[in-house]
Amino acid sequence: MSRLAVAALALAIAAPLHAAPRAFSVQDLVMFDRVSEAALSPDGRRVVLQLRETDYAANKGKSSLWTLPAAGGKATRLRDGANTPRWSHDGAAIWFLAAKDEVQQIWRMPAAGGEAEAISALPLDVGSYKLSPDGSRIAFTAEIFIDCSDDASPLACTTQRLDKPEDAKASGLLYDRLFVRHWDTWGDGRRSQLFVAALDDDGRLGEPVLVSKGLDGDIPSKPFGDDSEYAFSPDGTQIYFGVRTAGAEEAWSTNFDIHVVPVDGSAAARNLTADNPAWDAHPLPSADGKTLYYLAMKRPGFEADRFGIQALDLASGERREIAADWDRSAGAMKLSADGRTLYTAADDKGEHPLFAIDIASGKVTKLVGNGSVAGFDIGAKTLLVARNDLKTPTALFTTDLRGRNLKPISRFNAERYRDLRTGDYEFFTFKGANGATVQGYVVKPVGFRPGRQYPVAFIIHGGPQGAMNNGWSFRWNPQTYAGQGFAVVTINFHGSTGYGQAFTDSISQDWGGKPLEDLKLGWAAALRKYRFLDADRACALGASYGGYMINWIAGNWNEPWKCLVNHDGVFDTRAMGYETEELWFTEWENGGTVYDAPANYEKFNPLNHVKDWRVPMLVIQGDKDFRIPTAQSLATFSALQRRGIPSQLLVFPDENHWVLKPQNSVQWHQTVEAWLKRWTNP
């Protein structure tokens, strides 16, 4: 990372750094403000954003809306308890979501200041929303029972179903197909569906029209979808959206399709991508309405396939792939004001930069790198970028349309950051499995002194199709370990993203093969290159797939480690094939179902090597984690206890696959840090 880029990002977070008296800690981590949903005003002069602040006593985050000049300057708080800000088409108003009478509604307030008003009075929460290009209509999503779709008011019908009599005490849920539960929520039969409503003469929401009627799927997708999954046509007469309608096969299908429907509901939705049995997503119409850009995968059932950029001619039905030779997987896109350029962010060799793609030629240009782009917006002459790196949380920057003259404009977290010290980092490469070039990085401990050796936290990322990038995290953040005096080493092994699709593909059906070889070779390479790493005081840590790998190395590569930490990791790959909710994942990764390919599930199954376990292990589990359910961690802990291996089990009854609540995060980190110190102190 260039010195100029480091200085720019640090300036955005803090006032000029003084001699820092203390090391970064988890208490600092959970109290940092989190910037998101930043958007440029139509004239490019102002920015609206959402800020998440921590109420530690209440053990939760609080969202508020702010504005600041796009040229930089003082930020102004607009409203507390609000989220998802959007500019009106003329920049005169700011729209947002906030609760009214305990139901999340759509609100509007003058951009120049003044009283906000709720423009909807719906009986159910608004999940997401989008304004039409001329501001005359609003698309929004809400959860309804599908069999209420034919009712005159699906929202009222659903509300009546949810309002059970006070004397109704039975709590049983009856299912006849999957999903039974998803991520952290038990299904109750409702779907997130798409509505469109016109604004009346008073500027309030008119009667909503259910435009996704007849489609038994969720819009946006669950559990992490947002309003980038639907878009109005430029003239506002139609709306495009992505949805999966797989019926009883939903739990093992990744077949999302792009549909189009009139906003008045006068015709049924039409499937534009029915010929592709894989994932189609994130529709984006051209400015003239003649072309639809969207992302598409090619292999059914593979959630980590490459998202290629497609251009669909809406008149002829012909499509072509833009930048077909660009071996990266694109994220949700935005279009330049002149309609000639698409912008997207993607993993790329340990970073998550912003790219520009010329539509005509397919030329790809990296605009903003040296870290991770968490969000962006496009103006006529300006790019707004939310960016972070391994030393600093997300801040806002502006650049020109070519990514030049990167300028910090926000200063949230300035006071908190000023007195903190973080560890320096460095990326390195080595020859991994099959002689491939593999990348990793090290983070030096805070207070590093040349000539000394330091204990090591060896972090193994999850996914497995993911990466430990040059970016900030509020969960697995290397700086929390650096602040405790540990050096950090991590390896982006075979299967990681950002190194080409073939590299990503290579982990499937080989979970304990090439990735383990990369970890071994990467650890050896780090020890040769960085003499400050103490090989005799090292612990390995991982979550999800990383937790699986902890269980795998416990029986297959336990020699280097003084201790292990396993968060929500797979213990029995065979049982995982039945216990997890998104079955397409385990079936792709193992080349079939458990009953069709049992040998594949057993090939790298950690439970078959418990007899060789010997290293002390801390096991952590969120009890609301339905991705890797609690039974996996209980089995891990039982195996450790039965073998007489020093071990602890930390369970969070109120957390899912991730630990999100501030006080739980502090407890998680303090427990992990105490475990590492217990086994690495001389």
Side-chain angles (χ1 to χ4, degrees):
M1 185 175 187
S2 70
R3 293 182 180 178
L4 182 60
V6 172
L9 191 51
L11 179 61
I13 300 300
L17 297 179
H18 305 289
R22 63 184 180 87
F24 180 81
S25 71
V26 63
Q27 288 82 0
D28 301 305
L29 180 71
V30 300
M31 295 306 297
F32 271 166
D33 296 337
R34 309 184 192 187
V35 177
S36 64
E37 301 285 350
L40 284 166
S41 60
D43 63 7
R45 299 176 61 184
R46 292 167 294 169
V47 174
V48 66
L49 62 99
Q50 177 179 319
L51 192 71
R52 189 265 199 192
E53 300 167 282
T54 299
D55 184 339
Y56 192 78
N59 201 26
K60 64 180 182 180
K62 301 184 300 181
S63 292
S64 55
L65 304 186
W66 296 68
T67 58
L68 73 159
K74 182 180 179 181
T76 302
R77 184 189 293 265
L78 294 181
R79 185 182 175 92
D80 292 331
N83 64 84
T84 323
R86 300 288 186 266
W87 291 99
S88 63
H89 71 288
D90 58 3
I94 294 172
W95 298 73
F96 58 91
L97 298 178
K100 183 177 183 180
D101 299 327
E102 299 183 347
V103 179
Q104 182 157 270
Q105 305 287 357
I106 303 171
W107 294 66
R108 178 183 56 214
M109 68 183 303
E115 192 70 23
E117 61 174 342
I119 63 95
S120 67
L122 301 168
L124 299 173
D125 288 332
V126 175
S128 66
Y129 75 104
K130 182 164 285 185
L131 303 171
S132 67
D134 67 356
S136 65
R137 297 178 187 269
I138 299 180
F140 69 91
T141 59
E143 295 208 353
I144 65 168
F145 292 107
I146 286 295
D147 57 4
C148 282
S149 297
D150 293 324
D151 194 271
S153 175
L155 297 170
C157 171
T158 297
T159 304
Q160 292 169 5
R161 289 265 297 274
L162 292 172
D163 291 339
K164 295 182 179 180
E166 292 186 4
D167 59 351
K169 306 300 182 184
S171 61
L173 298 170
L174 182 64
Y175 301 93
D176 58 11
R177 74 180 199 187
L178 301 174
F179 290 110
V180 167
R181 58 187 190 177
H182 199 182
W183 187 245
D184 61 5
T185 304
W186 288 90
D188 66 359
R190 284 182 290 168
R191 291 288 200 181
S192 180
Q193 291 279 285
L194 183 63
F195 296 80
V196 176
L199 298 178
D200 60 26
D201 293 339
D202 295 327
R204 297 186 178 277
L205 201 68
E207 186 64 27
V209 176
L210 176 60
V211 295
S212 57
K213 183 177 180 179
L215 297 174
D216 186 9
D218 290 302
I219 309 160
S221 60
K222 293 181 179 179
F224 306 120
D226 59 26
D227 66 319
S228 68
E229 296 184 22
Y230 56 93
F232 281 99
S233 62
D235 63 7
T237 62
Q238 300 183 102
I239 192 165
Y240 301 91
F241 60 91
V243 65
R244 173 180 52 198
T245 55
E249 299 180 358
E250 183 177 19
W252 55 92
S253 170
T254 61
N255 186 16
F256 288 80
D257 283 309
I258 305 296
H259 293 68
V260 62
V261 66
V263 296
D264 60 5
S266 58
R270 181 165 52 95
N271 190 341
L272 299 177
T273 60
D275 58 332
N276 181 22
W279 201 328
D280 303 290
H282 302 293
L284 177 65
S286 62
D288 61 11
K290 296 179 180 180
T291 304
L292 183 70
Y293 306 110
Y294 65 97
L295 303 180
M297 295 181 178
K298 296 179 180 179
R299 289 173 285 182
F302 186 26
E303 68 176 26
D305 199 8
R306 174 180 171 270
F307 258 138
I309 302 171
Q310 307 292 322
L312 172 64
D313 185 302
L314 292 169
S316 69
E318 294 182 1
R319 59 173 57 89
R320 69 180 179 93
E321 183 173 353
I322 299 172
D325 295 333
W326 185 43
D327 198 8
R328 296 292 182 266
S329 189
M333 303 171 292
K334 293 187 178 181
L335 190 64
S336 63
D338 63 10
R340 297 178 180 178
T341 306
L342 291 168
Y343 296 88
T344 188
D347 280 357
D348 181 54
K349 296 182 179 178
E351 299 179 350
H352 193 74
L354 178 66
F355 295 90
I357 300 98
D358 180 75
I359 293 172
S361 68
K363 180 182 178 181
V364 179
T365 304
K366 184 190 292 188
L367 299 180
V368 180
N370 293 320
S372 293
V373 171
F376 62 95
D377 198 14
I378 314 298
K381 298 180 180 180
T382 304
L383 298 178
L384 174 67
V385 180
R387 179 173 166 274
N388 58 70
D389 67 17
L390 276 164
K391 291 176 72 71
T392 42
T394 297
L396 297 180
F397 298 78
T398 57
T399 78
D400 65 18
L401 296 180
R402 296 184 181 182
R404 301 173 303 186
N405 303 319
L406 187 70
K407 176 185 176 182
I409 64 168
S410 67
R411 295 175 57 80
F412 299 104
N413 296 310
E415 293 304 315
R416 290 193 179 94
Y417 191 89
R418 176 167 31 215
D419 295 330
L420 298 178
R421 297 173 67 196
T422 53
D424 294 331
Y425 61 91
E426 180 178 314
F427 280 78
F428 66 96
T429 59
F430 60 94
K431 293 296 182 182
N434 298 333
T437 299
V438 178
Q439 187 183 53
Y441 67 73
V442 297
V443 180
K444 294 178 180 179
V446 173
F448 172 81
R449 295 180 182 178
R452 292 186 59 180
Q453 284 196 312
Y454 296 90
V456 183
F458 186 79
I459 298 177
I460 305 170
H461 74 69
Q465 294 90 355
M468 290 288 284
N469 286 332
N470 181 11
W472 189 261
S473 172
F474 281 93
R475 291 180 290 112
W476 285 84
N477 191 313
Q479 296 295 352
T480 61
Y481 304 96
Q484 292 293 313
F486 287 86
V488 176
V489 176
T490 189
I491 304 299
N492 284 334
F493 46 79
H494 276 79
S496 300
T497 51
Y499 304 92
Q501 191 59 43
F503 193 84
T504 300
D505 292 349
S506 65
I507 194 172
S508 298
Q509 300 186 49
D510 195 32
W511 274 31
K514 290 185 292 295
L516 177 59
E517 188 68 13
D518 289 341
L519 294 174
K520 291 179 177 180
L521 293 170
W523 176 235
L527 291 176
R528 288 193 302 269
K529 185 176 179 64
Y530 304 104
R531 298 296 183 181
F532 58 85
L533 302 175
D534 190 340
D536 294 324
R537 291 191 295 153
C539 292
L541 311 81
S544 195
Y545 171 83
Y548 158 86
M549 182 53 75
I550 292 298
N551 282 338
W552 184 244
I553 68 177
N556 291 276
W557 183 45
N558 56 40
E559 297 84 358
W561 314 116
K562 295 299 183 185
C563 73
L564 302 170
V565 178
N566 170 0
H567 176 102
D568 289 10
V570 177
F571 171 76
D572 181 358
T573 53
R574 179 182 51 193
M576 175 70 174
Y578 292 115
E579 292 175 351
T580 192
E581 9 82 285
E582 294 183 349
L583 296 180
W584 66 76
F585 173 76
T586 54
E587 291 177 11
W588 180 273
E589 292 304 304
N590 292 281
T593 63
V594 179
Y595 50 84
D596 284 329
N600 294 357
Y601 286 79
E602 293 294 353
K603 184 177 182 181
F604 299 112
N605 195 344
L607 72 77
N608 293 326
H609 300 269
V610 170
K611 62 181 176 59
D612 297 317
W613 287 16
R614 65 167 190 84
V615 179
M617 186 187 300
L618 168 64
V619 184
I620 309 173
Q621 179 71 36
D623 200 34
K624 295 178 70 176
D625 181 3
F626 303 153
R627 183 61 44 84
I628 300 179
T630 301
Q632 295 281 330
S633 287
L634 289 177
T636 301
F637 186 62
S638 295
L640 290 160
Q641 290 284 301
R642 192 66 183 86
R643 293 275 291 114
I645 298 170
S647 50
Q648 292 182 340
L649 173 66
L650 174 62
V651 178
F652 292 97
D654 54 348
E655 298 285 10
N656 56 35
H657 201 53
W658 303 332
V659 175
L660 301 175
K661 296 180 179 179
Q663 294 187 31
N664 286 348
S665 179
V666 170
Q667 183 185 11
W668 187 101
H669 282 85
Q670 290 178 340
T671 303
V672 170
E673 291 161 3
W675 186 254
L676 300 183
K677 291 176 180 178
R678 172 180 171 182
W679 298 103
T680 60
N681 278 344

